Amino acid sequence: MQAKDSNPPDGGYGWVVVVSAFMVMGLTVAVLKTFGLFFVEIQQHFDELASTTSWITSVTIAVFHLGAPVASSLCVQYTHRTVVITGGLLAFSGMALGFFGFNMIWMYATTGFLQGLGISFSWTPAISIVSHYFSKKRALANAIASAGECAFAFMFGPFFQWLISQYGWKGALLIIGGIQLNICVCGVLMRPLASSCLLEASHCETETPPSNGASMRGKEDKSPITHKTFNWMLVRRPEFVLYAIFGILAAMSFFVPPLFLVPFSYSLGIDESWTASLLSILALVDFGGRLLCGWYANLHVTKTIHLLAMTITLISTSLMLLPLANNYLSLAIFTGFYGFFFGTTVAIHITVLADVVGMPEFDSALGLFMLIRSTGGFVGPPLAGLIVDVAGDYRAGFYMAGATLVLSAGFLIILDRLQQRKKRGRKIRTKPEKSTLSYCSLNILKHQ
């Protein structure tokens, strides 16, 4: 079923899509974030090394990122709804088959590969269709949708722990898989627009009187847009390349603080129960940061790429200050600053991507961006670990993350300068045309 209007509604049924995306974020990424609760249970059951068991999560993360271009390609060939439903079935299959737990290879293939593919096929089109439904309120809509990750992660921790204690890790996997079937329901609610390619520039063409001729022309105009293909050539566009480099450097940093926060707190002599509360603080302020930044970006007071550069700078500052903590209170304060500014960044970085490439290429750009960014996620933690080993201090990992973020902000500034220069060039090219047109009009009026 197609919606009647091919332009972004910026509201209406779009809010149903936002709520659906909110649920999808929670049922995918939040599950991945809290899967560590199964780590010890699976390790003890199979009597394997920690490094061997950790490959389950590594496979999930790898497939999640590598599957993004595939998911985006399927979105442009079919619909976002179809891909999300497929993702929900794959996620359920991964958990349900993991229930049998034959051996570690089986776990890699089910809760690793199938679950990762399910997350990729659900997350990618869910975040993409929100941007299709909104234009002026895109930043706010994306912020609300992404906040589902924080809200569900906060609840899933104690809930998953209770499931494991009551039904064992295998029974818990089966129940969680059943819960993830709700992704399919969310997918059904993601009604496709009349065109999956929304051009803001085409508003003047679509806002014609509803005559028979106009409606026929509208139908003719939609057909070439609907049947589009995945654009791999985005890697030749300087704007996309600069933003992709920013994504790599940012991903190198984002995975480091959660990795070293707990061991750093232990090195300060902080009790385990107090250390666990730091993760709760991180989730809460992350949630608040996403919503607040989405609301502010929706006011259009600051250009989104400028806002992103500011939030990245603030994250790097908080990471540089975090190692100065010497007790629980100071560590909690700096953790709160980091979590809040991290949330503000996540709220708008997808919106900036849409602004950089435009909505016609957004589906392709999102898949490629996720694929390229994954290299930063893979390189960052081992590199930070190496630096920590050499320095003999967890503080070095935070300094490395902060410095990398400062470097990433530099590429945002270069990208903004490039966009401004191209915009000035377009204005200069159009001015002679306007002046010539005005001169011709005056001559016509003069001779009448």
Side-chain angles (χ1 to χ4, degrees):
M1 180 179 179
Q2 302 287 344
K4 292 181 180 179
D5 193 4
S6 64
N7 298 319
D10 260 319
Y13 192 82
W15 294 116
V16 176
V17 175
V18 169
V19 173
S20 299
F22 179 93
M23 297 290 292
V24 171
M25 297 303 108
L27 294 171
T28 55
V29 182
V31 171
L32 177 59
K33 274 186 163 184
T34 50
F35 192 77
L37 293 168
F38 291 86
F39 185 87
V40 176
E41 301 290 334
I42 295 174
Q43 182 187 4
Q44 291 178 349
H45 178 82
F46 292 107
D47 192 22
E48 292 284 358
L49 296 173
S51 58
T52 305
T53 309
S54 65
W55 273 104
I56 298 175
T57 304
S58 297
V59 170
T60 308
I61 295 172
V63 175
F64 170 34
H65 285 89
L66 295 175
V70 180
S72 295
S73 180
L74 291 172
C75 285
V76 299
Q77 293 295 329
Y78 302 101
T79 63
H80 296 80
R81 169 189 280 172
T82 303
V83 183
V84 172
I85 293 173
T86 304
L89 293 173
L90 286 169
F92 162 73
S93 300
M95 288 296 194
L97 291 173
F99 165 79
F100 295 102
F102 295 128
N103 50 50
M104 195 58 73
I105 300 297
W106 179 263
M107 300 305 295
Y108 295 158
T110 56
T111 55
F113 181 82
L114 283 179
Q115 180 68 198
L117 199 61
I119 292 174
S120 186
F121 278 33
S122 304
W123 185 93
T124 308
I127 204 70
S128 171
I129 195 171
V130 169
S131 293
H132 281 295
Y133 262 90
F134 290 85
S135 178
K136 294 179 181 178
K137 299 178 182 177
R138 185 175 294 151
L140 178 62
N142 276 324
I144 294 172
S146 70
E149 173 188 332
C150 306
F152 277 75
F154 184 76
M155 295 183 296
F156 277 170
F159 177 58
F160 285 4
Q161 194 68 62
W162 178 81
L163 284 178
I164 293 171
S165 64
Q166 293 294 314
Y167 304 101
W169 69 269
K170 290 186 177 182
L173 286 181
L174 185 61
I175 293 170
I176 294 168
I179 294 172
Q180 285 184 306
L181 276 175
N182 286 288
I183 294 172
C184 299
V185 179
C186 297
V188 170
L189 293 174
M190 291 178 179
R191 186 172 67 196
L193 288 164
S195 170
S196 59
C197 177
L198 302 172
L199 295 167
E200 283 84 352
S202 66
H203 283 196
C204 58
E205 295 178 4
T206 55
E207 291 175 0
T208 53
S211 62
N212 292 335
S215 65
M216 287 298 292
R217 285 193 301 271
K219 289 180 181 178
E220 291 172 1
D221 291 340
K222 289 174 189 175
S223 57
I225 295 175
T226 304
H227 300 290
K228 54 178 186 164
T229 57
F230 191 87
N231 186 7
W232 295 94
M233 292 298 102
L234 281 169
V235 293
R236 294 184 177 181
R237 289 179 55 175
E239 297 92 337
F240 177 78
V241 171
L242 287 169
Y243 198 70
I245 295 172
F246 153 75
I248 293 172
L249 294 171
M252 284 179 66
S253 305
F254 287 162
F255 290 95
V256 172
L259 186 65
F260 294 127
L261 184 60
V262 172
F264 177 58
S265 67
Y266 288 158
S267 69
L268 296 176
I270 298 173
D271 185 72
E272 289 184 11
S273 58
W274 287 102
T275 299
S277 68
L278 291 174
L279 300 178
S280 298
I281 292 171
L282 200 61
L284 284 175
V285 294
D286 184 356
F287 182 82
R290 296 186 192 214
L291 295 183
L292 185 61
C293 188
W295 168 79
Y296 178 76
N298 190 58
L299 299 177
H300 302 286
V301 176
T302 308
K303 193 176 176 182
T304 51
I305 192 169
H306 295 167
L307 185 59
L308 181 60
M310 285 190 288
T311 60
I312 287 292
T313 304
L314 289 169
I315 292 179
S316 63
T317 303
S318 63
L319 286 176
M320 293 291 191
L321 293 173
L322 193 145
L324 301 178
N326 55 11
N327 54 46
Y328 173 79
L329 180 60
S330 57
L331 185 58
I333 291 172
F334 289 131
T335 298
F337 278 125
Y338 162 74
F340 179 81
F341 294 127
F342 175 79
T344 59
T345 299
V346 174
I348 58 172
H349 80 290
I350 296 296
T351 302
V352 175
L353 176 62
D355 294 340
V356 168
V357 300
M359 286 313 299
E361 306 293 349
F362 178 68
D363 289 320
S364 300
L366 180 60
L368 285 174
F369 179 74
M370 287 289 293
L371 177 64
I372 296 170
R373 189 183 69 169
S374 66
T375 57
F378 295 145
V379 172
L383 178 60
L386 178 63
I387 293 173
V388 168
D389 289 338
V390 172
D393 193 338
Y394 288 111
R395 291 178 174 86
F398 294 103
Y399 289 133
M400 170 262 178
T404 308
L405 280 174
V406 171
L407 184 60
S408 73
F411 282 92
L412 288 178
I413 294 171
I414 296 171
L415 171 59
D416 182 51
R417 294 282 178 88
L418 177 62
Q419 287 182 316
Q420 288 181 2
R421 189 172 65 188
K422 286 192 172 184
K423 188 176 181 180
R424 286 195 297 267
R426 284 194 296 267
K427 285 183 178 179
I428 292 171
R429 286 195 299 271
T430 55
K431 278 182 180 178
E433 294 176 6
K434 289 181 179 178
S435 61
T436 304
L437 181 62
S438 301
Y439 178 77
C440 293
S441 300
L442 286 171
N443 281 336
I444 292 170
L445 291 171
K446 187 177 179 180
H447 288 87
Q448 282 181 346

